[in-house]
Amino acid sequence: MKKNIHPKYQQVLFVDSSTGHRFVCGSTLQPEGTEVFEGTEYPVQKVSTSSASHPFFTGSKQLVDAEGRVDKFKKRYAQKPAKDGEGEQQEQKEEAPAKKVAKKK
């Protein structure tokens, strides 16, 4: 490795600003402030969202999609019940004439 071209790698204290959750992780960030966490002084970086506050990890907002895609498709394109006079006409249209099969001699 070349010397003096890589940023300094250090342990940084990340603080979730919405929940106050704190965790230490290795990073090349060079934050200005410092805080003491579990008896050790770390440079501190504040983050707006972490796994402690993100809805995906907390489960606070679940997907509204309770039905599957197939069920939605069937519901959307299902035939609606016909009115009194229309039902008989549709049934006649649906009945296909039987094919005549020629017998070979």
Side-chain angles (χ1 to χ4, degrees):
M1 275 187 356
K2 292 183 180 180
K3 296 189 185 271
N4 301 327
I5 64 166
H6 299 285
K8 180 183 171 190
Y9 184 80
Q10 61 185 354
Q11 296 294 318
V12 177
L13 174 65
F14 290 91
V15 179
D16 187 342
S17 58
S18 60
T19 62
H21 179 72
R22 300 166 184 259
F23 59 95
V24 177
C25 185
S27 177
T28 58
L29 287 174
Q30 302 297 319
E32 298 293 323
T34 59
E35 282 188 27
V36 176
F37 179 69
E38 296 180 349
T40 308
E41 188 172 356
Y42 295 103
V44 65
Q45 178 69 39
K46 295 189 181 196
V47 292
S48 59
T49 305
S50 70
S51 61
S53 63
H54 193 279
F56 179 79
F57 295 105
T58 61
S60 61
K61 289 187 180 180
Q62 294 180 356
L63 293 175
V64 180
D65 184 17
E67 298 179 351
R69 290 183 179 185
V70 174
D71 293 333
K72 280 186 176 180
F73 178 83
K74 286 180 180 178
K75 184 187 283 185
R76 181 180 296 159
Y77 294 105
Q79 291 185 0
K80 296 179 182 177
K83 295 180 182 175
D84 297 333
E86 294 177 7
E88 295 172 7
Q89 293 173 358
Q90 286 182 355
E91 288 176 11
Q92 291 174 358
K93 289 180 184 177
E94 289 176 5
E95 292 177 14
K99 292 183 178 180
K100 295 182 180 178
V101 180
K103 293 182 183 179
K104 293 183 180 180
K105 292 183 180 181

